[in-house]
Amino acid sequence: MNTKHSTPLEVRALLFDVLGTVVDWRSGIARQVSSFLERCGVVHVDAADFADTWSRLYDQATDAVRSGKRPFARLDVLNRENLEAAFKAVSIEPKLLPSADLDELNLAWHRLDPWPDSISGLTRLKSKFIIGPLSGGNTSLLLDMAKRAGLPWDVVLGSDVVEVYKPAPEAYLRTCEFLGLRPDQVLLVAAHNDDLAGARRCGMRTAFIPRPAEHGPSQTTDLAPLDDWDVIASDLVDLADKLGA
């Protein structure tokens, strides 16, 4: 793919991983968890560590769906279950906490801040391409996030539309089908090499954006591209430059 001055005409849409690539989930979750713990008088729990624990449980929950061990459930449902498991991991019995307060904290995933380059980069890319998320987030989560953060999506199709989680092939293929596009007409933008590998296996184009602070100062994964992705950019503004937007 020639990315210096132009993009092939067959690339009509850019789809984006959201959690980590477009928004800074760790800082946002840690901030909201910190406020929750302070209100509850809990002082022995580090909010950033709690955010990491809550996030790690995502993989286990979505693996259970992909493997058929449980039927599809929206990410809001999985996150709510995982929230209770995260509290148990820090020796706090969730049953002792008000259920309504836990429900509100679960919505922290709807209220995440974009990386500094996200809005300007997406706005430029929108001028040339159809843009939207390809995320594990359910549609209401992604819509709430977009409204709050100002993410200028053209279309929002959550995982509850395709009823499968990445990197299952159907997550990529069904989204392309909903858009009426062939996989090779769609480019996935992600900060995660495994996500891009899943998209490439389905015939999609790929673009890598590093987010070295996604997992905090000690991050060791996805610091660099691990394959010859079609486009490699330093951030979404640089991606817009490379795609001529």
Side-chain angles (χ1 to χ4, degrees):
M1 174 183 277
N2 176 9
T3 60
K4 292 182 180 179
H5 303 292
S6 63
T7 260
L9 294 177
E10 68 265 26
V11 175
R12 295 182 53 195
L14 271 55
L15 297 179
F16 296 77
D17 171 71
V18 176
L19 299 173
T21 301
V22 176
V23 301
D24 178 5
W25 64 264
R26 187 176 189 264
S27 295
I29 295 299
R31 181 183 66 252
Q32 296 175 77
V33 166
S34 178
S35 296
F36 179 88
L37 295 174
E38 184 177 352
R39 291 195 303 271
C40 295
V42 176
V43 297
H44 72 281
V45 176
D46 182 87
D49 289 344
F50 188 94
D52 291 336
T53 299
W54 195 3
S55 174
R56 280 195 296 270
L57 293 168
Y58 168 91
D59 289 332
Q60 298 175 26
T62 55
D63 280 346
V65 173
R66 282 190 295 267
S67 67
K69 292 181 180 178
R70 66 175 294 174
F72 179 84
R74 290 179 296 112
L75 186 58
D76 278 341
V77 173
L78 300 182
N79 280 341
R80 183 63 173 79
E81 296 172 358
N82 293 341
L83 177 59
E84 295 199 12
F87 273 116
K88 290 179 180 179
V90 294
S91 302
I92 296 175
E93 176 51 57
K95 292 181 180 179
L96 299 179
L97 300 170
S99 180
D101 290 351
L102 292 178
D103 290 342
E104 174 61 23
L105 180 58
N106 194 49
L107 294 177
W109 294 93
H110 293 227
R111 302 184 292 256
L112 300 177
D113 297 330
W115 295 107
D117 58 278
S118 291
I119 302 301
S120 57
L122 289 174
T123 300
R124 287 178 55 188
L125 292 164
K126 179 185 173 76
S127 69
K128 186 170 183 178
F129 305 97
I130 299 166
I131 66 168
L134 204 172
S135 169
N138 46 271
T139 302
S140 61
L141 182 157
L142 295 170
L143 285 171
D144 286 347
M145 183 189 298
K147 284 290 188 181
R148 179 184 177 276
L151 304 176
W153 303 130
D154 290 307
V155 61
V156 176
L157 299 171
S159 58
D160 51 332
V161 176
V162 297
E163 294 194 334
V164 69
Y165 287 103
K166 298 183 296 181
E170 294 83 3
Y172 307 100
L173 294 173
R174 289 178 189 169
T175 302
C176 293
E177 184 179 356
F178 274 115
L179 295 176
L181 297 173
R182 302 188 312 269
D184 65 298
Q185 294 177 304
V186 182
L187 183 144
L188 179 71
V189 183
H192 311 122
N193 284 280
D194 59 348
D195 195 359
L196 295 174
R200 174 173 279 181
R201 287 193 294 270
C202 293
M204 294 175 66
R205 297 300 184 101
T206 52
F208 178 80
I209 304 290
R211 295 299 191 193
E214 177 189 355
H215 296 283
S218 59
Q219 179 169 327
T220 59
T221 59
D222 291 315
L223 297 176
L226 299 182
D227 210 330
D228 59 338
W229 309 121
D230 294 301
V231 189
I232 297 171
S234 59
D235 59 24
L236 293 183
V237 172
D238 185 40
L239 180 65
D241 289 340
K242 285 182 163 59
L243 297 183

